[in-house]
Amino acid sequence: MRTILRLIKLYGPYRNWIVLGILVSFLSVLANVTLMAVSGWFITAMGLAGVAGVSMNYFTPAAMIRACAIIRTGGRYAERLVTHDATLRFLSHLRRRVYECMEIHPISETGKYRSGDWLSRLGGDIDRLERFYIGFVVPAVTALAACLVFVAYLFFHHVMLALFVGSLLLFSGLLFPLLMLRQTREPEETEVQKMTALRTELVGCLQGMGELLVYDTENSYGARQEKIEADLIKAQKRINRFSVMSNAVVEASSYSALWGTLLIAIPLVTTDAIMPADLALLALFSLVVFEAVLPLPVAFRSLSAVEMSAKRIFDVLDYKPLEEPHKTKYEPELERCSFQFKDVCFSYDRGPVLKAVSFDIKSGEKVAVIGPTGAGKSSLINLITGLWPLDEGAIILNDKRLADYAGEDIRRHFSVVPQRPHVFSTTIRQNLLIAEPEADEKMLEEVCDKAGLLSFIKSLPDGFDHYVGESGLQLSGGQTRRLAIARALLKKAPCLVLDEPGEGLDARTEHDVMARILSFVEECTLLLVTHSLVGLPEMDRIVVLEEGRVSHQGTHEALLKSAAYYRGLYELV
């Protein structure tokens, strides 16, 4: 219930649209019931007047019937227009908020969720919330207001009519829907879980389709999806059975109201307590008032799915980002970049990664960090760029504590080639312009030449406008790596950070690319994180990480003499 109340609060900025939608829906239901009841009364009264040979005023009821028909038709159109407009405005705002919250999750947090799960939250879960206003709030409030008016009108004619029809409305509009809510909670929640699992599996399979085909394991993944689909269909069948049952109950209640009204009203006609023409009015009125409660069983049934999706959305919205200044205390010095690690400690859930790491890099210095897999090399990059929080220690950027900088100002100092660079599903040009939107053709050619990619681009019919496919599917691993290097060079940040830049490149190309990069960034600070030996002799200093600690640091020649791990790498070549 707390989740539903919180969801209601989210609709606060759209309260005027919400009230208007409910009002229009109420008028539409009222017009439809009045139309049916007055039509029955008018036909009966005209017949009785004809038999009696008397005249009657038929202009007023005819005008009322026409007005109700117009209000009903226009009201239903206006209801859909207003309620859907309010819902789409709300969903658009909510989707943007969820995306913004997803964006501020650090890499360590977003990695806990599969991409298909993020997609399901941003798409399926938010879309499911449209059921709350359109599918629950509007029908429920409309039904409550309309039923009070209808029962009051019947009470005006006779208390027994009000009690009888009111009891049936209470059963079919509240008691039975609450029973439905209890019975359908499990299958509704199962449907949400299976839909999420199915999206997650499909996204994973599509992303890894090449590997699945190579290893001939696509059938096993297909079997997993079929199992999820079977469970989903089973849950949906249970939900549909309850839906059919709910419609049957409301229909049975409406016809019971019709016959019950006749049984109560006919004796009242014979005693002149009710006028003969009013008999048809009351019978049709009692039949059609159940239009107000017809959506309620389905509305209550969907609450479980809405609540579960809302919890998943609030799980994202409730994320508390790292406490960092909204504005850097000092003016960022983007013409230089020096930083120091002072007793830096960092841990994952599985245990410590960095243990009291201390070293410094001066502005314009070229430093390499090497070490075995798992030594914590890549973690250093996420720490200096402010993506992950420190456990202990401090990082000093340009003589100021990293904690005193806003996140965006931290990252303005660095241009990073990550270990697994992402290539967007667009052209080569657009992938490059992410780093510098104002770059011209000459600048693009320059950085691509330094990355060893220009000759390949010129061989393409569309050149820089070549479409690279989903996640760069039309590029080789080496071309993707070189595209990421070119993008990083285009940013022209004071510090270039390369995380395994030779990954996916053959030895000759790796030597050529590193030579080009070193000539391009002569004035920049360079941090090279690698397990390769290419380019290390040209580094001003090399830091060796072993088991999360700095075991040695020095020049290439000095480490060959003093560091057994470093010397062992060269002996293996």
Side-chain angles (χ1 to χ4, degrees):
M1 190 62 185
R2 185 179 301 173
T3 302
I4 296 299
L5 292 176
R6 184 177 176 186
L7 184 59
I8 292 173
K9 290 181 181 179
L10 285 181
Y11 278 92
Y14 311 96
R15 64 175 69 88
N16 294 334
W17 286 95
I18 291 171
V19 172
L20 181 60
I22 293 171
L23 179 61
V24 172
S25 176
F26 172 72
L27 291 176
S28 180
V29 171
L30 202 63
N32 186 54
V33 173
T34 304
L35 173 64
M36 292 293 291
V38 173
S39 297
W41 177 88
F42 185 47
I43 294 171
T44 305
M46 288 290 290
L48 292 173
V51 171
V54 297
S55 62
M56 66 170 289
N57 176 17
Y58 60 85
F59 291 105
T60 301
M64 184 181 294
I65 290 171
R66 182 168 296 180
C68 288
I70 293 172
I71 293 173
R72 181 186 66 172
T73 304
R76 286 177 175 172
Y77 175 79
E79 176 199 347
R80 282 155 180 76
L81 184 65
V82 172
T83 56
H84 281 77
D85 186 81
T87 299
L88 292 175
R89 288 172 185 267
F90 168 73
L91 295 182
S92 174
H93 173 71
L94 181 61
R95 186 170 281 111
R96 184 170 62 251
R97 280 190 59 188
V98 171
Y99 180 82
E100 289 171 350
C101 289
M102 290 168 57
E103 187 182 26
I104 63 175
H105 271 66
I107 297 173
S108 57
E109 290 290 329
T110 55
K112 294 179 181 179
Y113 301 102
R114 294 174 64 181
S115 54
D117 186 73
W118 283 117
L119 174 64
S120 187
R121 291 170 193 259
L122 194 59
D125 287 321
I126 292 180
D127 289 341
R128 195 173 288 110
L129 295 186
E130 76 177 40
R131 299 186 195 175
F132 181 65
Y133 172 54
I134 294 178
F136 178 76
V137 174
V138 173
V141 178
T142 299
L144 176 62
C147 288
L148 290 175
V149 172
F150 297 153
V151 172
Y153 178 75
L154 290 173
F155 185 82
F156 172 77
H157 283 276
H158 198 277
V159 64
M160 286 300 298
L161 290 173
L163 290 175
F164 178 70
V165 176
S167 299
L168 289 174
L169 286 171
L170 181 64
F171 170 74
S172 58
L174 182 61
L175 300 181
F176 182 74
L178 288 175
L179 178 64
M180 284 279 295
L181 175 62
R182 182 176 179 180
Q183 295 296 320
T184 58
R185 180 176 294 276
E186 181 187 347
E188 284 280 353
E189 291 179 352
T190 300
E191 182 185 30
V192 175
Q193 293 170 350
K194 297 305 177 183
M195 287 293 291
T196 300
L198 187 60
R199 287 191 185 96
T200 303
E201 287 293 327
L202 285 173
V203 170
C205 287
L206 289 174
Q207 290 176 335
M209 184 57 68
E211 286 78 4
L212 293 178
L213 293 175
V214 167
Y215 291 103
D216 195 26
T217 55
E218 68 274 13
N219 290 333
S220 62
Y221 273 78
R224 287 166 54 179
Q225 293 173 21
E226 289 175 0
K227 175 63 169 60
I228 296 173
E229 289 175 349
D231 294 338
L232 175 61
I233 292 171
K234 184 179 178 181
Q236 290 175 336
K237 284 182 176 179
R238 289 183 62 189
I239 294 171
N240 290 336
R241 282 199 294 268
F242 283 113
S243 297
V244 172
M245 187 187 304
S246 67
N247 290 333
V249 167
V250 176
E251 289 288 333
S253 298
S254 64
Y255 285 109
S256 298
L258 169 65
W259 290 106
T261 298
L262 289 174
L263 291 175
I264 295 172
I266 288 174
L268 297 175
V269 172
T270 60
T271 61
D272 294 331
I274 293 178
M275 298 301 293
D278 290 345
L279 179 63
L281 181 149
L282 292 172
L284 289 175
F285 182 87
S286 299
L287 176 68
V288 78
V289 293
F290 285 83
E291 176 195 340
V293 299
L294 182 61
L296 293 186
V298 174
F300 275 83
R301 187 206 74 199
S302 65
L303 268 184
S304 298
V306 168
E307 184 177 11
M308 189 170 184
S309 290
K311 287 179 179 178
R312 287 167 51 80
I313 295 301
F314 291 144
D315 181 50
V316 178
L317 295 180
D318 288 340
Y319 172 73
K320 300 298 182 184
L322 301 175
E323 291 294 333
E324 61 179 23
H326 295 292
K327 186 177 181 181
T328 302
K329 293 182 178 180
Y330 316 98
E331 189 67 26
E333 302 177 53
L334 297 178
E335 69 279 358
R336 69 187 186 96
C337 183
S338 64
F339 48 93
Q340 298 172 277
F341 288 83
K342 292 187 174 181
D343 297 319
V344 169
C345 297
F346 176 73
S347 302
Y348 292 116
D349 293 337
R350 62 179 181 268
V353 177
L354 299 176
K355 307 166 187 175
V357 170
S358 296
F359 69 93
D360 63 276
I361 299 180
K362 298 180 179 64
S363 182
E365 192 175 17
K366 294 170 178 53
V367 176
V369 177
I370 69 166
T373 302
K377 303 187 300 297
S378 297
S379 299
L380 293 173
I381 298 174
N382 292 318
L383 292 175
I384 63 171
T385 53
L387 296 177
W388 288 352
L390 298 175
D391 292 344
E392 295 179 28
I395 297 177
I396 307 301
L397 175 60
N398 287 343
D399 305 321
K400 309 293 190 302
R401 288 172 57 88
L402 197 71
D404 292 336
Y405 288 86
E408 292 300 319
D409 284 335
I410 293 173
R411 289 178 279 279
R412 288 169 65 191
H413 291 82
F414 300 97
S415 186
V416 182
V417 179
Q419 190 170 352
R420 296 180 180 85
H422 183 77
V423 177
F424 292 88
S425 180
T426 182
T427 62
I428 293 175
R429 184 188 305 277
Q430 292 302 319
N431 270 285
L432 290 170
L433 293 179
I434 291 170
E436 178 51 67
E438 302 301 323
D440 56 24
E441 193 87 6
K442 182 179 179 181
M443 295 171 64
L444 298 182
E445 289 183 357
E446 182 181 13
V447 294
C448 288
D449 180 50
K450 293 300 180 183
L453 193 64
L454 185 59
S455 59
F456 165 72
I457 294 174
K458 287 187 174 294
S459 70
L460 299 171
D462 298 325
F464 283 101
D465 296 314
H466 177 72
Y467 178 71
V468 299
E470 183 72 26
S471 299
L473 190 62
Q474 296 188 23
L475 301 178
S476 68
Q479 289 164 347
T480 299
R481 175 67 56 178
R482 281 176 279 177
L483 178 60
I485 292 172
R487 184 164 59 192
L489 295 176
L490 188 62
K491 185 179 178 182
K492 296 187 182 301
C495 181
L496 176 64
V497 181
L498 303 176
D499 190 359
E500 305 290 1
E503 192 77 23
L505 304 178
D506 59 73
R508 181 177 178 180
T509 304
E510 184 179 1
H511 278 88
D512 179 58
V513 169
M514 278 303 303
R516 290 167 181 263
I517 291 174
L518 290 173
S519 66
F520 189 78
V521 296
E522 290 180 353
E523 304 299 324
C524 290
T525 305
L526 175 66
L527 174 61
L528 172 64
V529 175
T530 182
H531 63 267
S532 170
L533 303 178
V534 176
L536 295 186
E538 287 76 27
M539 295 294 107
D540 297 322
R541 191 153 39 88
I542 300 167
V543 178
V544 181
L545 275 183
E546 294 184 88
E547 298 181 353
R549 301 180 186 274
V550 176
S551 60
H552 298 84
Q553 57 179 311
T555 63
H556 168 68
E557 292 77 11
L559 290 181
L560 284 177
K561 299 176 181 178
S562 62
Y565 171 78
Y566 190 78
R567 186 170 57 251
L569 291 177
Y570 267 83
E571 291 174 353
L572 290 174
V573 177

